[in-house]
């Protein structure tokens, strides 16, 4: 038996031997079909493919064509020839058909994959009002095509690699030549190559391996379902990673303030876009701090509320037996449970949950004297606020931080909240995403870049790319003057 | 390495928060554990002590709609040698801790104020809870009675007291005076202080109905109450100090008929002058804009000449008010406008000589009043 | 070999501004008014001018010994024994100041917010966040300081602007009625506040030097001076000279005076924000300088090991240093020379010796 250095077995020129080896290598799986046929005079091949995954009609057609013209290659994979049993098995496993030539000791791989996948749809997690609506699907080829379609440029560069020694997942790294910083690109490749994982089933599998800080709950890499967001990022000098089998692409480097941006901002007039961004920032802050602020105010700083308001809060709070902290934790947890239930439950019962949630937790709980109406308002507003943010992981992080902040607030009032905020800021300032400070243009402070992060600049005024991502080409266009 | 650190940090955080939680959230106070004090009355107690009465809101439970400031109130009283002590002793009668931070108004009884209010004001300022904008009033008689007057519209009298203080903007019979202002003046000595008076009156129609009324100011020498300024003096004072916004002026025309004017703008210019013999002469110039609001007189056609005559009469009227005030202030030797400080700012050298005997000097100062009114508008009808 | 720590000019500027302005501007008006009543702005000006000189001393020292902080500098300049002793004194001072500031930090809350919460809690909370920042190092808290600078300056500005209808400019008159010299009694105090930028001598070697570094540094003192002036002026203009003296924290009373829409008042929370943020930067800056100095003095290999013991030590020291704010402020008041000694005199002396040495080298 001929073996290579890396324990691969070469294909032999004996047909039955090849079949035996292949079958063995494929764990004698039952859906492996091997048909012996002759193409030419004297030459015969074994056609191997996996049942159910292969478009047999297409295979037939291709074989017919192959008989007529041996040079017919476009229908086949680019690196069509395989020489080892393992490579053939891998090709089979990923849905190809393999033609094993009886006396050549090599095989030909034909792309006949036929799997039913989703069509291009509007992304469910990132809905928009204005702007392109197509979203990524599970097919890597299709995703790459989508990016290419929206960004038809010769400078767009795609680099393939396979990650995961079991799943051999196809991963594509996208960058723009002459724009993306090559050092960061090199670093990305280095980190991807070093992934020792067995299986890559989703883009998060990669994210957790290549992130700068594995102990953090903040996302240091962005993930998105939208091709236009990927393209926008590429044009800022960032790098995108597409992973086979998931509609979520990774974009890196990622800074904190980008969690408040959506691609739609650029589809609207820039005033509208700016206001929407500010609203999102504000609601992010409210989402994190409102319950804490409420708890601190009603337990420590009664003097600071306008008298009339305090009077109202006090009489509403009168029948409630729990301390404000406990009350707020109850409501916050109840809201999280409802939200989680809303995602998991079948669509048909959706109505039921929302009615039960709104009525039982809102109205009835107040009337029963379990929570005060003010607390319901606080919890509801807090909950709604986090929904304004694009669905990066920051969303979830903010919800978790809510609890921490509330705890701090219940211990030391406003001082506690401030200590919490300071520690959070310190932590955020210590994070880096591929060497880029996580607090973005805020710290280190760059006013000119902040104007396209906190608000948005008009397109004609947006000539300079953010220096943050160390793009090589800083100017977006050549101004006329 | 990072993983270990995270674990360590988590453990540390957990430990600290556990310590805090087990320590019991000390210093915190749930809303169910406090009573909100809305207004405070201070009376003279026995043996030079002070008697504190607090108006506290009752909180009604149940019902979805909180009532806000329409709740009912109850009163607690206690007496001790100092204000702080009395407030603490009040806790013995109350089922909850009292929250003083929302006190809207403090009412001193005039008797207490005659003995000096500096001590009380100091005590109140020393406590961090009281707001700077807490309103001050002085009342002849028992101050706590004013809290028990039920106003027709509001059930918490602090609301009434706040509302009444704002009335000064249109009547010029009272002036909103806040805690911080009084404190500043007591410490700075830039001028003598005045605190609005509050009194209980019977309703003119329904005799049984008691109402609160703010009319007039009490004048203080340093921190002792020395005199009461009636409507006219109050008006004159507010005009001369340039703090008047709106008021009414009227001119008689024939029997039982009058012209009424609405004051819309008032500006005062004071020019104190000290001659080498240290005699002070004060020149008071008042510029006022008025609008005609009521014309009861017969056969009058409004013409520039008529208006010029009215202006003359108004000038005399206003000058009389100011004169009344000046006479009052010189009699009681209170410099409510701060003329002394004006001299100080302008001529520090002269002031050094005057400083010690300013009160006497002021009482003997000569003054001249010049009023310039304008009537420019007659509202909707000519 | 650790990675070289570098911060930029703006970060240096914000560190200087915050650690000088944030804490002192809350009570400075009261103490200064104590000396000069309505002319306390004059003291601030004098202090600011000395502050510029103070900064110049440190910049010059850094120019003469680039890549050194004041600890290593004095060791090199005065030899291992004498220099070591001076370094120890400076270290002791840094440590002492850290505890002073920590103490101030907690006292503020006891007076302004809630006297029932034990002081130790505030101390622990304070030292916790600072130790955490020190653990992450200069670069990180320098970055945070940029955000803090923006928040602080904006808050102060907002306070002063919202009070605009309550200012009585005539309260400032007469200007300097007692002449130019009499109010100068309080100068030392004013100088000692501006001298808080002393930790610059420890961070200067980490600043990425550009042409504008010096102007950024002087700009920082300028901003500090302006903000301090504004705080003193607005206190005087709202309350008057004497009344300002009687407040423990005039700025709190100032902010309590703000009323918008007639009924909404008590924005004390803004002050809590400013106070926590600026104290954080100040304590951290001193803490870090102290740790850095200790590392250089004893040639420590793993300075991070010392953070926790030092933090505990700081809490204990701060707790038992003084009994209350009265003692604290009277110490600041009467012993201002102690601070000025280390902030200004000792560094100036070092500079003098360095310059003489330089000259001797040139001539010899």
């Amino acid at each position: 038996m001929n073996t290579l250095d890396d324990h691969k077995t070469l294909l032999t020129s004996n047909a039955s031997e090849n079949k035996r080896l292949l079958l063995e290598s494929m764990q004698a799986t039952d859906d492996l079909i091997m048909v012996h046929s002759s193409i030419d005079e004297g030459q015969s091949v074994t056609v191997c493919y996996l049942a159910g995954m292969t478009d047999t009609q297409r295979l037939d057609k291709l074989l017919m064509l192959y008989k007529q013209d041996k040079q017919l290659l476009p229908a086949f994979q680019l690196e069509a020839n395989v020489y080892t049993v393992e490579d053939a098995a891998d090709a089979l496993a990923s849905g190809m058909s393999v033609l094993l030539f009886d006396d050549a000791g090599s095989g030909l791989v034909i792309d006949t994959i036929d799997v039913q996948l989703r069509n291009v749809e509007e992304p469910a997690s990132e809905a928009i009002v204005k702007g392109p609506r197509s979203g990524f699907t599970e097919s890597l080829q299709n995703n790459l095509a989508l990016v290419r379609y929206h960004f038809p440029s010769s400078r767009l560069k795609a680099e393939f690699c396979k990650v995961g020694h079991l799943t051999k997942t196809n991963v594509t790294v996208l960058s723009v030549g002459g724009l993306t910083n090559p050092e960061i690109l090199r670093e990305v490749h280095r980190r991807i190559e070093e992934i020792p994982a067995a299986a890559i089933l989703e883009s998060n599998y990669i994210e957790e391996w290549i992130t700068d800080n594995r102990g953090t709950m903040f996302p240091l890499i962005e993930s998105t379902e939208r091709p236009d967001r990927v393209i926008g990022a590429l044009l800022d000098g960032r790098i995108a990673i597409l992973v086979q089998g998931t509609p979520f692409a990774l974009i890196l480097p990622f800074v904190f303030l980008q969690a408040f941006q959506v691609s739609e901002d650029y589809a609207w007039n820039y005033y509208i876009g700016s206001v929407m961004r500010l609203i999102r920032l504000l609601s992010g802050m409210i989402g994190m701090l409102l319950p804490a602020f409420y708890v601190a105010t009603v337990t420590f700083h009664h003097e600071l509320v306008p008298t009339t308001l305090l009077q109202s809060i006090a009489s509403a709070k009168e029948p409630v037996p729990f301390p404000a902290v406990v009350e707020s934790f109850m409501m916050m947890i109840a809201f999280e449970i409802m939200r989680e239930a809303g995602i998991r439950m079948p669509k048909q019962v959706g109505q039921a949950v929302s009615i039960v949630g709104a009525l039982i937790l809102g109205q009835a709980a107040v009337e029963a004297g379990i929570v005060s109406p003010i607390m319901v308002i606080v919890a509801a507003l807090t909950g709604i606020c986090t929904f304004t943010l694009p669905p990066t992981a920051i969303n979830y992080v903010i919800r978790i931080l809510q609890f921490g902040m509330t705890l701090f607030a219940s211990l030391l009032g406003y001082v506690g909240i401030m200590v919490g905020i300071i520690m959070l800021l310190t932590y955020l300032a210590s994070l880096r995403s591929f060497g880029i400070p996580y607090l973005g243009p805020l710290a280190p402070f760059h006013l000119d870049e902040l104007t396209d992060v906190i608000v948005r600049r008009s397109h004609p005024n947006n000539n300079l790319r953010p220096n943050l991502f160390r793009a090589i080409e800083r100017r977006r266009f050549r101004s006329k003057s | 390495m990072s993983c270990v650190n995270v674990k360590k940090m988590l453990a540390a955080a957990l430990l600290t928060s556990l310590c805090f939680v087990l320590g019991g959230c000390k210093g915190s106070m749930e809303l169910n554990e406090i009573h909100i004090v809305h207004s405070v009355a201070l009376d003279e107690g026995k043996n030079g002590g002070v008697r504190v009465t607090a108006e506290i809101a009752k909180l009604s439970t149940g019902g979805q709609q909180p009532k806000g400031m329409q709740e009912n109130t109850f009163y607690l009283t206690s007496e001790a040698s100092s204000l702080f002590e009395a407030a603490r002793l009040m806790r013995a009668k109350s089922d909850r801790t009292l929250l003083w931070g929302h006190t809207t108004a403090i009412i001193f009884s005039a008797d207490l104020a005659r003995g000096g209010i500096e001590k009380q004001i100091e005590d109140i300022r020393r406590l961090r809870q009281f707001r700077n904008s807490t309103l001050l009033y002085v009342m002849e008689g028992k101050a706590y009675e004013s809290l028990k007057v039920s106003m027709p519209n509001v059930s918490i009298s602090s609301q009434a007291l706040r509302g009444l203080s704002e009335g000064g903007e249109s009547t010029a019979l009272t002036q909103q005076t806040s805690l911080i202002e009084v404190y500043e003046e007591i410490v700075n000595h830039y001028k003598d202080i005045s605190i609005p008076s509050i009194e209980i009156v019977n309703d003119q129609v329904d005799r049984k109905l008691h109402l609160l009324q703010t009319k007039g100011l009490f004048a203080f020498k340093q921190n002792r109450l020395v005199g009461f300024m009636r409507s006219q003096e109050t008006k004159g004072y507010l005009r001369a100090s340039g703090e008047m916004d709106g008021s009414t002026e009227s001119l008689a025309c024939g029997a039982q008929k009058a012209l009424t004017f609405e004051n819309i703008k008032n500006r005062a210019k004071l020019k104190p002058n000290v001659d080498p013999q240290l005699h002070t002469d004060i020149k008071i110039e008042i510029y006022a804009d008025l609008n005609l609001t009521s014309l009861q007189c017969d056969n009058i056609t409004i013409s520039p000449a008529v208006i010029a005559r009215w202006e003359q009469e108004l000038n005399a009227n206003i000058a009389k008010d100011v004169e009344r005030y000046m006479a009052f202030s010189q009699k009681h030797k209170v410099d409510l406008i701060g003329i002394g400080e004006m001299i100080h700012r302008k001529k520090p050298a002269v002031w050094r000589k005057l400083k010690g005997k300013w009160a006497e000097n002021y009482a003997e100062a000569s003054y001249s009043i010049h009023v310039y009114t304008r009537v420019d508008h007659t509202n909707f009808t000519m | 070999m650790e990675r070289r720590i570098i911060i930029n000019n703006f970060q240096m500027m914000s560190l200087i501004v915050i650690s000088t302005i944030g804490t002192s501007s809350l009570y400075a008006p009261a103490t200064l008014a104590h000396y000069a009543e309505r002319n306390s702005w004059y003291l601030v000006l004098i202090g600011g001018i000395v502050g510029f000189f103070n900064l110049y001393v440190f910049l010059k020292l850094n120019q003469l010994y680039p890549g050194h902080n004041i600890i290593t500098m004095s060791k090199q300049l005065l030899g291992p024994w004498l220099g070591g002793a001076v370094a120890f004194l400076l270290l002791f001072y840094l440590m002492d100041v850290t505890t002073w500031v920590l103490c101030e930090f907690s006292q503020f809350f006891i007076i302004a917010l809630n006297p029932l919460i034990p002081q130790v809690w505030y101390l622990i909370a304070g030292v916790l966040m600072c130790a955490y920042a020190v653990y992450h190092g200069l670069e990180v808290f320098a970055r945070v300081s940029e955000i803090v600078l923006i928040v602080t300056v904006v808050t102060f500005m907002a306070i002063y602007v919202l009070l605009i209808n309550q200012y009585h400019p005539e309260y400032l008159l007469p200007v300097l009625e007692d002449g130019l010299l009499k109010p100068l009694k309080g100068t030392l105090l004013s100088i000692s506040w501006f001298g808080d930028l002393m930790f610059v001598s420890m961070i200067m070697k980490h600043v990425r030097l550009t042409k504008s570094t010096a102007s950024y540094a002087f700009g920082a003192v300028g901003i500090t001076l302006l903000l301090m002036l504004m705080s003193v002026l607005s206190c005087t203009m709202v309350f008057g000279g004497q009344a300002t003296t009687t407040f423990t924290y005039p700025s709190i009373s100032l902010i309590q005076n703000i009323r918008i829409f007639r009924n909404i008042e008590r924005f004390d929370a803004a002050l809590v924000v400013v106070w926590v943020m600026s104290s954080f930067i100040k304590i951290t800056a001193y803490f870090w300088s102290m740790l850095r100095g200790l590392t250089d003095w004893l040639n420590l290999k793993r300075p991070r090991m010392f953070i926790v013991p030092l933090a505990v030590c700081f809490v204990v020291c701060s707790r038992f240093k003084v009994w209350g704010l009265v003692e604290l402020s009277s110490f600041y008041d009467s012993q201002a020379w102690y601070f000025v000694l280390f902030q200004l005199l000792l560094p100036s002396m070092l500079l003098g010796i360095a310059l003489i040495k330089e000259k001797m080298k040139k001539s010899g």
Side-chain angles (χ1 to χ4, degrees), chain A residues 310-330:
Chain A
L310 185 74
Q311 186 80 32
S312 299
I313 297 177
S315 52
K317 181 86 171 45
E318 193 62 21
V320 180
F322 304 111
V325 208
V326 177
E327 209 188 340
S328 71
F329 267 88
M330 284 192 321

Side-chain angles (χ1 to χ4, degrees), chain B residues 1 5 9 16 19-20 23-29 101 125 128-133 162 166 169 176 180 183-185 187-188 190 341 344-345 348 352, chain C residues 38 111-118 121 124 128 132 135 170-171 173-174 177-178 238-243 246-247 253 256-257 259 262-263 265-266 304:
Chain B
M1 127 174 181
N5 269 335
M9 258 154 51
T16 349
C19 284
F20 276 121
C25 307
K26 217 176 168 187
S28 73
M29 195 82 79
R125 268 300 307 171
R128 71 204 154 81
Q129 288 104 336
F130 280 97
R131 300 185 166 211
N132 280 357
S133 62
R162 174 177 291 278
E166 282 157 9
E169 284 164 25
Q176 196 167 41
I180 189 77
Y183 178 75
E184 268 170 52
E185 291 317 328
V187 177
N188 282 335
Y190 288 167
E341 186 60 24
H344 180 189
R345 284 181 192 136
R352 220 163 280 154
Chain C
R38 51 191 98 180
I111 284 163
L113 287 182
N114 202 329
L116 295 177
I117 298 179
W121 285 26
I124 290 173
L128 206 66
Y132 183 63
Y135 171 81
E170 70 268 18
Y171 281 5
L173 297 170
E177 59 176 323
D178 295 322
V238 170
F239 299 122
Q242 283 95 332
T246 62
F247 296 127
S253 303
Q256 286 181 349
N257 252 20
R259 284 176 81 186
R262 279 204 166 193
N263 267 324
E265 52 187 332
R266 297 293 292 247
R304 278 182 179 180

Side-chain angles (χ1 to χ4, degrees), chain A residues 293 299-301 303-308 408 411-415 418-419 421-432 437-439 442-446 450, chain C residues 3 8 10-11 105 109 113-114 117 121-122 125-126 128-129 132-133 136 139-141 143-144 146-148 150 263-269 272-273 276-277 280:
Chain A
F293 193 72
T299 50
F300 284 91
H301 310 284
E303 297 101 76
L304 309 188
V305 193
T307 312
T308 321
F408 270 118
L411 299 173
L412 282 176
Y414 289 164
V415 185
M418 273 319 293
V419 170
I421 291 177
I422 291 273
M423 287 178 80
L424 179 66
L425 277 181
T426 315
Y427 182 65
L428 287 179
S430 75
L431 290 178
R432 276 168 184 277
Y438 194 49
L439 273 184
L442 191 60
F445 185 74
H446 293 290
L450 266 182
Chain C
R3 204 165 55 86
N8 64 28
F10 188 75
Q11 287 167 342
F105 170 76
F109 296 121
L113 287 182
N114 202 329
I117 298 179
W121 285 26
Y122 288 123
L128 206 66
M129 62 179 182
Y132 183 63
H136 278 303
E139 275 178 339
V140 169
F141 76 77
R143 257 181 251 150
V144 177
E146 293 179 75
I147 301 172
V148 173
I150 298 161
N263 267 324
I264 303 179
E265 52 187 332
R266 297 293 292 247
F267 293 93
D268 304 28
V272 175
V273 171
V276 176
M277 282 192 154
F280 161 74

Side-chain angles (χ1 to χ4, degrees), chain C residues 35-195:
Chain C
Y35 285 104
E37 286 190 1
R38 51 191 98 180
N39 298 319
S40 31
W41 53 268
Y42 173 64
L43 280 182
V44 176
L45 272 185
I46 299 279
I49 290 165
V50 180
F52 278 116
F53 172 71
N54 206 338
L55 182 70
Y56 170 78
V57 169
F58 291 124
L59 288 183
K60 190 80 193 165
L61 273 176
N62 184 62
Q63 201 184 355
L64 289 177
Y65 292 89
H68 281 280
N69 56 33
I70 197 158
I71 301 288
T72 51
M73 211 182 283
S74 66
K75 263 169 133 179
Q76 204 183 16
L77 193 62
L78 302 172
W81 287 107
L82 188 60
V86 171
F88 172 75
L89 281 178
L90 283 165
L91 263 184
F92 171 78
Y93 171 74
L94 282 173
M95 187 164 163
D96 195 40
V97 169
T98 316
T99 56
W100 278 117
V101 184
L102 200 58
C103 195
E104 265 176 61
F105 170 76
S106 61
Q107 296 287 351
F108 173 81
F109 296 121
I110 288 179
I111 284 163
L113 287 182
N114 202 329
L116 295 177
I117 298 179
Q119 189 191 356
V120 182
W121 285 26
Y122 288 123
L123 287 175
I124 290 173
V127 95
L128 206 66
M129 62 179 182
C130 296
Y132 183 63
V134 171
Y135 171 81
H136 278 303
L138 175 67
E139 275 178 339
V140 169
F141 76 77
R143 257 181 251 150
V144 177
S145 79
E146 293 179 75
I147 301 172
V148 173
L149 177 78
I150 298 161
V151 173
T152 313
V153 171
V154 167
T155 315
F156 274 127
M157 286 303 178
I159 293 174
Y160 302 140
V161 168
L162 283 173
L163 281 167
I164 227 159
N165 61 342
Q166 299 184 21
Y167 288 145
H168 305 278
E170 70 268 18
Y171 281 5
L172 292 173
L173 297 170
V175 177
L176 293 173
E177 59 176 323
D178 295 322
L180 282 168
L181 291 177
K182 205 174 160 211
L184 285 184
K185 272 184 296 181
T187 324
L188 219 50
L189 194 66
S190 179
I191 292 173
S192 79
W193 276 324
F194 280 95

